[in-house]
Amino acid sequence: MIPDTDYSTTVKAYKIWMPMITYCFPISITLHRIRRHRSIMLIQSLKVIRRVLSRGPNSIQLRNTMSTVTRFQPCTQNFIFRQLFDATSSTYTYLLGDADSAECILIDPVVEHAKRDFQLTKDLNLKLVYAVNTHMHADHITGTGYLKKLSGCKSVISRQSGAQADVLIEENDFITFGNQRLKVLSTPGHTNGCCSYYSEQQGIAFTGDALLIRGCGRTDFQEGNSETLYRSVHDKIFTLPDNTRLYPAHDYKGLMVTSVDEEKRLNPRLTKTMEEFVKIMDNLNLAYPAQIDKALPANKVCGLYDIPPE
């Protein structure tokens, strides 16, 4: 309250206090509105929670809003890995090596690149002990025969394939090179002799044409069977740890690796029921493989009679 003094004193007091009152009053009103708004929001939120909880524990599923990212186990320091590519057939060839013993293998080599692949083994100071196929291919001639000539390695393929090789493998066999080993998983369906190779130690698997990245091998020729392929993938590959890295025999979109978790969630064919999967495969209407008439006879003997001239 302004004291009852002379007029000049009152005017001075008025000039001092009025600007302060005019400035502070809107701020006070604004702060009051903010506090009131927050109180209303809190009360509304509590009402919602109270209604949900009153319905019982099964009325709501609490979900983590952050997506789960797959964490891969690191490979051991003595494991050597290279992924190679043939642009003509979109085939991946894999070099796997053991640094302790300097032994290595090649999976699904292509005859046109046999020299390249063998030169890489020499560049890395590795000895090639096995040239391995995941199945008897129809889209390219295997390089195993040529690699046998270049390196003296042994050829490997599934006994069920009907092809000739130095080593015929079956379910639960192991391919060993140094301190590394791959477990043989029989995964027929694309062909009778399809195999996948799994390294538990490295957390990786090589799935051939049984499982591709967001796809799978065709089942309309070469003893193919859609139901068999569906069971193979679900029983043998999808039962591996979710963070297992999967390397296919082919990719046509530039992708290089996937995982069990990804394919179980995202594969547009193999996430369906078996009946739906069979219907999809029966209606693909794919073209006749361009290389099949040349590739199959050569691959029945692991490419031994189709070695390019020097």
Side-chain angles (χ1 to χ4, degrees), residues 91-281:
T91 297
Y92 284 124
T93 298
Y94 300 97
L95 184 153
L96 313 181
D98 176 64
D100 296 332
S101 66
E103 291 183 346
C104 72
I105 68 170
L106 285 165
I107 299 176
D108 287 336
V110 178
V111 67
E112 287 84 0
H113 299 296
K115 279 189 171 182
R116 175 202 68 183
D117 300 345
F118 179 55
Q119 182 61 48
L120 180 59
T121 67
K122 294 194 295 181
D123 292 344
L124 298 176
N125 297 316
L126 298 172
K127 178 185 177 182
L128 182 63
V129 290
Y130 295 118
V132 184
N133 283 293
T134 54
H135 63 291
M136 189 163 62
H137 297 274
D139 53 7
H140 68 270
I141 295 175
T142 179
T144 52
Y146 199 0
L147 287 165
K148 280 170 59 70
K149 178 181 178 181
L150 293 171
S151 68
C153 70
K154 293 183 178 181
S155 56
V156 181
I157 201 168
S158 166
R159 185 180 299 276
Q160 283 70 36
S161 69
Q164 300 175 20
D166 298 313
V167 181
L168 298 176
I169 52 175
E170 297 180 336
E171 173 86 1
N172 293 324
D173 284 346
F174 286 91
I175 300 171
T176 302
F177 48 106
N179 294 318
Q180 313 295 327
R181 69 176 192 170
L182 298 175
K183 184 178 182 179
V184 178
L185 306 176
S186 179
T187 51
H190 171 62
T191 72
N192 280 348
C194 283
C195 285
S196 297
Y197 303 117
Y198 173 53
S199 170
E200 182 179 6
Q201 182 183 14
Q202 309 301 339
I204 58 177
F206 302 88
T207 58
D209 283 19
L211 179 63
L212 306 179
I213 300 174
R214 311 297 189 267
C216 62
R218 61 194 294 175
T219 57
D220 58 336
F221 70 95
Q222 206 177 350
E223 312 102 23
N225 184 283
S226 299
E227 292 184 1
T228 300
L229 178 58
Y230 188 91
R231 284 192 292 267
S232 291
V233 173
H234 279 264
D235 295 347
K236 301 293 181 64
I237 299 174
F238 282 179
T239 54
L240 297 175
D242 282 350
N243 65 346
T244 303
R245 285 163 290 177
L246 303 177
Y247 291 94
H250 304 279
D251 188 81
Y252 308 96
K253 297 180 180 179
L255 300 174
M256 301 173 69
V257 61
T258 183
S259 70
V260 171
D261 173 68
E262 286 179 52
E263 297 309 313
K264 285 167 66 174
R265 291 187 294 108
L266 303 172
N267 193 294
R269 299 177 185 175
L270 289 153
T271 52
K272 309 295 185 183
T273 65
M274 181 183 288
E275 292 73 19
E276 291 171 326
F277 175 76
V278 171
K279 186 176 181 179
I280 291 171
M281 300 304 291

Side-chain angles (χ1 to χ4, degrees), residues 280-305:
I280 291 171
M281 300 304 291
D282 287 347
N283 290 278
L284 291 179
N285 298 317
L286 299 173
Y288 188 73
Q291 297 291 322
I292 188 171
D293 293 330
K294 181 180 180 181
L296 283 185
N299 291 338
K300 282 183 178 292
V301 293
C302 279
L304 283 173
Y305 74 69

Side-chain angles (χ1 to χ4, degrees), residues 52-53 55-61:
V52 170
L53 294 177
R55 297 171 188 167
N58 296 324
S59 64
I60 187 171
Q61 291 183 349

Side-chain angles (χ1 to χ4, degrees), residues 53-97:
L53 294 177
S54 67
R55 297 171 188 167
N58 296 324
S59 64
I60 187 171
Q61 291 183 349
L62 299 178
R63 297 183 179 181
N64 187 352
T65 57
M66 296 180 64
S67 60
T68 301
V69 177
T70 302
R71 295 179 180 272
F72 300 117
Q73 73 178 66
C75 293
T76 59
Q77 291 185 348
N78 64 344
F79 181 67
I80 299 169
F81 175 81
R82 295 290 189 277
Q83 186 176 29
L84 308 167
F85 188 65
D86 169 54
T88 302
S89 61
S90 297
T91 297
Y92 284 124
T93 298
Y94 300 97
L95 184 153
L96 313 181

Side-chain angles (χ1 to χ4, degrees), residues 13-24:
Y14 176 83
K15 290 181 178 180
I16 293 172
W17 286 98
M18 282 309 295
M20 296 176 63
I21 294 171
T22 304
Y23 176 77
C24 294

